[in-house]
Amino acid sequence: MIDVDSTLCGIEGIDFLAERRGGDIGARIAALTDRAMRGDVALESVYGERLAIVQPSEADVAALADEYRESLAPGAAAAITSMRNAGLRLNLLSGGIRQAIAPVARALGFEDRDLYAVSLAFDSTGSYVTYDKSSPLTTQRGKSEVVGRLTAEGKLKRPILAVGDGATDVPLRSIADTFAAYTGFARRPSVVANADLEIASFAELARFVLAAEG
């Protein structure tokens, strides 16, 4: 299970969208995101607030999709291909916006069923309406809830490796066999301290995974 923002790609999607609004919105949203990723506040306490402030349109989300592709982690495409060729099943697990992540996911060979993220709703003019409030991925422990459900349904096989950079990834340690803190873009000491190992690049991730398989 691979996180997206600041792991697969070198941006925080909501922060990118906020910067497009100008003024002090970018700084306000970045501060909220940072607090959530460090674990100072629960994700659910800021998730809807950030979107309500930013009001991302469909055009904004399309621009974010382009930015995800541009900020792909070095070596990620090759590492994903090598792991997939070794017979491993890969999934993307993110609290980010599904419509923005889907294009880069497809470019990397992920099927839509392999992407778990949060959908937004827009009106006929492309203006923001709401987000999927039923998604567990809008909450602090939502990723572990999703992985637990998929495992119980037989859709995930053990051993499970979870890779991420933020506090919302840490709860995965309770359900995955191994949790790796990804530090290629952001190194958060509290996340590293709760991880089984630290990985700084996708090349390193592929070497670890393929060695474990071998």
Side-chain angles (χ1 to χ4, degrees):
M1 307 300 291
I2 305 171
D3 178 41
V4 176
D5 290 28
S6 295
T7 298
L8 179 67
C9 302
I11 60 169
E12 291 290 335
I14 190 66
D15 294 355
F16 170 83
L17 294 170
E19 284 292 338
R20 289 170 64 86
R21 290 291 172 265
D24 68 344
I25 291 179
R28 287 170 59 195
I29 297 301
L32 289 173
T33 301
D34 183 58
R35 292 183 68 198
M37 291 303 99
R38 285 190 286 112
D40 294 343
V41 297
L43 180 64
E44 53 265 34
S45 70
V46 300
Y47 198 97
E49 178 185 357
R50 293 181 305 174
L51 287 169
I53 293 171
V54 175
Q55 295 283 310
S57 66
E58 279 189 300
D60 292 324
V61 171
L64 174 57
D66 291 338
E67 191 67 16
Y68 274 130
R69 286 192 291 264
E70 291 296 319
S71 66
L72 186 66
I80 286 168
T81 297
S82 66
M83 290 187 287
R84 190 177 284 127
N85 286 344
L88 301 174
R89 176 167 179 191
L90 307 179
N91 297 275
L92 299 180
L93 182 65
S94 174
I97 298 168
R98 183 180 181 89
Q99 292 99 319
I101 298 170
V104 71
R106 291 172 188 141
L108 291 169
F110 289 92
E111 297 183 18
D112 288 348
R113 65 185 177 89
D114 300 324
L115 169 61
Y116 300 91
V118 182
S119 296
L120 301 189
F122 305 95
D123 65 17
S124 59
T125 69
S127 297
Y128 172 74
V129 176
T130 189
Y131 64 96
D132 180 6
K133 296 180 180 179
S134 68
S135 173
L137 296 171
T138 64
T139 68
Q140 191 71 19
R141 302 188 64 84
K143 290 183 177 181
S144 61
E145 181 180 331
V146 170
V147 172
R149 173 174 55 80
L150 293 173
T151 303
E153 293 172 352
K155 295 178 180 178
L156 287 181
K157 306 291 186 184
R158 293 193 179 276
I160 298 170
L161 169 65
V163 184
D165 67 284
T168 55
D169 299 298
V170 171
L172 286 165
R173 193 180 189 192
S174 67
I175 190 72
D177 297 278
T178 305
F179 169 58
Y182 185 81
T183 57
F185 293 115
R187 190 180 191 277
R188 298 181 173 95
S190 61
V191 177
V192 173
N194 284 284
D196 296 299
L197 71 155
E198 178 180 347
I199 287 178
S201 71
F202 268 78
E204 185 180 348
L205 172 63
R207 285 195 297 271
F208 171 79
V209 169
L210 295 177
E213 284 295 301

